[in-house]
Amino acid sequence: MTADATADADAVDISPEPGPPLTRTLARRETLADGVVRLTLTRADGLPVPAWTPGAHIDLLLGPGLERQYSLCGDPGDTSALQVAILRETAGRGGSQYVHDKLTEGATVRARGPRNHFALVPAERYLFIAGGIGITPLLPMIAEADRRDAGWHLVYGGRTRASMAFAGELRARWHERVEICPQDETGLLDLDGLLGVARDGTAVYCCGPEPLLAAVEERCASWPPTALHTERFAPTAGSDAGSAESFEVELAQSGMTLTVPPDRSVLEAVEDAGVPVLSSCREGTCGTCETGVLAGVPDHRDSLLTADERAVGDVMFICVSRCRSGRLVLDL
């Protein structure tokens, strides 16, 4: 997951969830492709960085209002550093531009995590579909699938070959298992050919821009319901649709009962009451504000939970989701 996140001047803060941000050093910065830089983040004291698993991301706290999420793209077995690759998004909200324009080797920046809402499930085979910078969370997944001796194939699309980070090394290492598909050379990805026939035992992992994700979801409609796994950079279209009525929220740990009005989120109401909650994206994509539901029926409006997870209803993302039952009891 990417998104956009100020630094002091000589390190990067990374801490395991749910603790506060700490400080680590931006040890190395490399240009990987047109508009893409890789940051290698280490602890200033030389101690190991937090453990993580393929699909995890960290939150970079780049300044007031600039807290963004970036997928980890290095080796989970490397305890000396964490790596992220960040695309400059000129139409974004400023985080990636800050990284590209302000962060230099030796700088400091705060970070939180890692956390993982895009984990690699066990499967006989994997089909990985990447669009642009969406390749980042798939890199450690590919290595893990290979380590498990599972069958796998990667189809990686981008605007141009020069814009596609990691394309050369992927092809050099994995050969025919990797298809590199620059749009200006090969056109759009052949999703009908890739996904037209459901395959038992195959898990599909896709990360990239919203049009790609929507197209993949459409073609996977006939696949087993648990086959497709996606990670989004932006909320799903229409995710904010639904009733905006007021409802009550009981905070089981804090002993408070709050009314959430139509024009406020659960997160905002909880913050207004002085109850601290970790949050970041405030649009239902990063998973930072995940909260346990002890009673009541959530109205899920996030872009993270699967249909089965929504049906269970034991967690919700309080930055966007609301209530279907008039009252919720939350583990806060």
Side-chain angles (χ1 to χ4, degrees), residues 56-139:
H57 70 271
I58 57 173
D59 308 331
L60 291 188
L61 286 69
L62 300 171
L66 284 181
E67 181 172 341
R68 304 291 185 262
Q69 294 73 47
Y70 296 101
S71 298
L72 293 171
C73 60
D75 176 4
D78 179 5
T79 61
S80 67
L82 298 175
Q83 293 186 335
V84 294
I86 300 174
L87 171 69
R88 176 193 285 275
E89 304 207 41
T90 55
R93 295 173 295 158
S96 67
Q97 294 180 54
Y98 179 90
V99 169
H100 278 256
D101 295 340
K102 303 293 185 181
L103 287 187
T104 58
E105 289 185 3
T108 62
V109 58
R110 294 183 304 149
R112 183 167 48 226
R115 60 174 56 83
N116 197 340
H117 292 282
F118 192 42
L120 187 68
V121 301
E124 297 174 27
R125 293 173 301 279
Y126 298 92
L127 173 59
F128 299 107
I129 303 174
I133 199 64
I135 188 63
T136 52
L138 304 186
L139 294 171

Side-chain angles (χ1 to χ4, degrees), residues 81-264:
L82 298 175
Q83 293 186 335
V84 294
I86 300 174
L87 171 69
R88 176 193 285 275
E89 304 207 41
T90 55
R93 295 173 295 158
S96 67
Q97 294 180 54
Y98 179 90
V99 169
H100 278 256
D101 295 340
K102 303 293 185 181
L103 287 187
T104 58
E105 289 185 3
T108 62
V109 58
R110 294 183 304 149
R112 183 167 48 226
R115 60 174 56 83
N116 197 340
H117 292 282
F118 192 42
L120 187 68
V121 301
E124 297 174 27
R125 293 173 301 279
Y126 298 92
L127 173 59
F128 299 107
I129 303 174
I133 199 64
I135 188 63
T136 52
L138 304 186
L139 294 171
M141 291 185 179
I142 289 167
E144 177 62 17
D146 199 70
R147 188 191 67 80
R148 295 178 186 178
D149 292 324
W152 64 268
H153 188 72
L154 167 67
V155 180
Y156 177 14
R159 292 179 292 102
T160 65
R161 191 175 297 272
S163 72
M164 298 172 67
F166 305 104
E169 61 191 77
L170 281 165
R171 184 67 179 172
R173 182 176 182 185
W174 306 115
H175 309 293
E176 70 283 349
R177 286 192 170 196
V178 173
E179 290 184 51
I180 304 298
C181 305
Q183 186 175 342
D184 63 342
E185 298 177 23
T186 63
L188 296 175
L189 299 182
D190 180 14
L191 297 180
D192 290 327
L194 288 169
L195 302 168
V197 177
R199 284 171 267 172
D200 290 338
T202 298
V204 180
Y205 276 79
C206 181
C207 186
E210 183 59 32
L212 173 64
L213 292 167
V216 168
E217 287 175 335
E218 179 182 350
R219 288 160 177 80
C220 283
S222 62
W223 285 59
T226 58
L228 178 60
H229 306 263
T230 62
E231 184 168 56
R232 285 182 149 81
F233 304 155
T236 309
S239 59
D240 58 350
S243 170
E245 297 177 357
S246 62
F247 55 93
E248 285 191 343
V249 172
E250 179 184 340
L251 309 184
Q253 295 183 36
S254 304
M256 298 181 183
T257 298
L258 312 174
T259 297
V260 181
D263 61 344
R264 302 290 281 172

